[in-house]
């Protein structure tokens, strides 16, 4: 949240599972941003350097992988 956003995107898992790795993927499939070694159920991403458009966020925990859509404005 918020989505869409222009600078900071906050990620919080409701089940309080620990986030291990996050990647932001552009429409061509290229990873444009990575965040590792989070080890918490919430974090934030600074996406201000990304171009406006649609992205996918991959969130990896010890037990699950989530794919969410993100709109950068």
């Amino acid at each position: 949240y918020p989505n869409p956003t222009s600078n900071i995107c906050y990620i919080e898992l409701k089940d309080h599972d620990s986030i291990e790795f996050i990647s932001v993927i552009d429409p061509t499939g290229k990873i444009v941003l990575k965040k590792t070694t989070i080890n918490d159920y919430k974090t934030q991403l600074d996406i201000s350097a990304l171009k406006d458009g649609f992205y996918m966020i991959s969130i990896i925990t010890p037990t699950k992988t989530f794919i969410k859509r993100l709109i950068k404005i």
Side-chain angles (χ1 to χ4, degrees):
Y1 60 89
N3 193 10
T5 188
S6 56
N7 293 316
I8 302 294
C9 175
Y10 298 93
I11 298 171
E12 184 173 344
L13 299 182
K14 293 181 182 184
D15 63 1
H16 292 241
D17 210 356
S18 178
I19 301 169
E20 293 183 338
F21 184 83
I22 295 175
S23 56
V24 179
I25 305 157
D26 74 8
T28 67
K30 180 180 175 186
I31 296 174
V32 293
L33 182 65
K34 291 188 228 179
K35 188 167 185 177
T36 60
T37 319
I38 300 159
N39 297 324
D40 197 358
Y41 73 95
K42 60 184 175 180
T43 190
Q44 64 184 30
L45 295 174
D46 181 356
I47 62 166
S48 60
L50 300 180
K51 294 180 182 178
D52 291 357
F54 292 91
Y55 295 89
M56 301 302 285
I57 298 179
S58 173
I59 304 164
I60 298 174
T61 72
T63 58
K64 300 174 192 164
T65 298
F66 301 92
I67 305 292
K68 299 292 181 182
R69 194 173 354 184
L70 173 67
I71 301 170
K72 164 71 165 66
I73 54 172

